[in-house]
Amino acid sequence: MELKQGKDKNEDLLENKIYHLIRKYETLEKINNIEHEIIKLIKKVIKLKWRVREIKISPDTYKNFDKQLIIEDWGTTDTGKPNARKIISLIRSYDKIEKNKENLINIEHLRKHEYRKKLDDREKERKKIMQNLYEDINDKTIDINIRKREIYLEEDIGKMLNRILEKKREKIDMSGLVKRENGRITIEKEKEKIKQMAIDHYSKWTAKRNIDLDEIEFNHEWREIYKPMETIDNTLYKKLMDKIEMDELENVLNNLKTNKAPGMSGISYDFWKKSKNLTRQILLAIINESMEKENAITDWKRGLIYPINKTQRSHWNQDLTLTRPIVLLETARKIWFKILVNRLSDILTKNKILTDTNYAALKNESTLEPIKIIQHIIEDANRNKKEA
């Protein structure tokens, strides 16, 4: 838990740094845009004076002319407005943003070439700073996205894959369903018939599977796989169904994910995470009574079937065969089973019951590391535009 909190803190610090870098970039961009307008207007004035110069006494090149020119009269715009007024207006806007007093602009200074060149050089230097800032923001944004992917790998691999593949979950609207009868295709709109069609279809998904135990018994390969391990002491599981203590419950509650869909009661994980001591004691009493009676309460056995589109490239088109169901179970029941899974995981890990290649949600065993390596290779290839 401490590691997760540390990651969240580092992520917040990095996001805060990115925010300030973006603000800095935007400020520099505003300054640069105003300064660019001033420089563009000054160059327009100089070019006009170059065109109307006295050729005999003027330098032979525009560059030398600019160096020697002291602008006494700023002239007017194409619409007859004084250029000086426009430059002063731009300078005022500039001075409101520029915090460095050394960089403040004075129109009188701009009459001389040395100050005009300084302004021009400053714009070029600022563009370099902005480019570096832009790259820094991109790099840090990539870093924070990599960190988020790592957290998703640890906490919610499904969410990570959805983000990488840019999957968007489509809402299923069952106001009409495709019906196939005797080679004809029609759209059923009657609510009761739609309800029955959904029940009939999803009953096949949850139908009891008939497993031929005799086939396992007489098949040498399967018999060896399913044969009980004689080296395992059955008393290791003796405490698996012992009375659950409050600290076990609180450990699970503290690690629950938020914003998850609840079961039929509408009670979400968020409710249990924010619950007070009395509520937790009641929940613990119900769980322990269910353990003692070896039977869960009736409401905990019910689930809410929710259809989702199983095609990612097309719309489900009101066709039930293009959907698959997920079952939303009661969160209280899931909390109970999480406690039992933690206990079982401890037993399997401490006693090394499973083989090293079995990653069945055991502590300190995970496919996270190889997946992380692959993800970093992909990120590096994308960033440096090379093959992975």
Side-chain angles (χ1 to χ4, degrees), residues 177-181 184-188 193 197 318:
L177 291 179
V178 169
K179 186 177 180 180
R180 294 179 174 86
E181 278 185 332
R184 293 182 59 200
I185 297 176
T186 57
I187 302 293
E188 182 61 68
K193 289 184 178 180
M197 285 174 67
Q318 275 67 48

Side-chain angles (χ1 to χ4, degrees), residues 169 181 223 280 339 355:
R169 185 151 291 174
E181 278 185 332
R223 187 171 70 246
R280 296 184 178 196
I339 295 171
T355 61

Side-chain angles (χ1 to χ4, degrees), residues 229 232 237 347-349 351-362:
M229 298 174 67
I232 303 301
Y237 304 103
I347 293 169
L348 296 175
T349 304
N351 296 284
K352 297 184 178 179
I353 294 172
L354 298 178
T355 61
D356 293 337
T357 54
N358 194 314
Y359 299 107
L362 297 181

Side-chain angles (χ1 to χ4, degrees), residues 72-85:
E72 295 178 357
D73 177 18
W74 290 101
T76 59
T77 65
D78 296 335
T79 57
K81 295 180 181 179
N83 284 319
R85 186 180 296 174

Side-chain angles (χ1 to χ4, degrees), residues 6 28 38 80 83 94 101 140 174 203 213 278 296 320 370-371 381:
L28 288 175
I38 294 172
N83 284 319
Y94 178 93
K101 291 183 179 180
K140 283 181 170 54
M174 286 197 175
S203 294
L213 297 176
L278 178 59
L320 279 177
I371 294 175

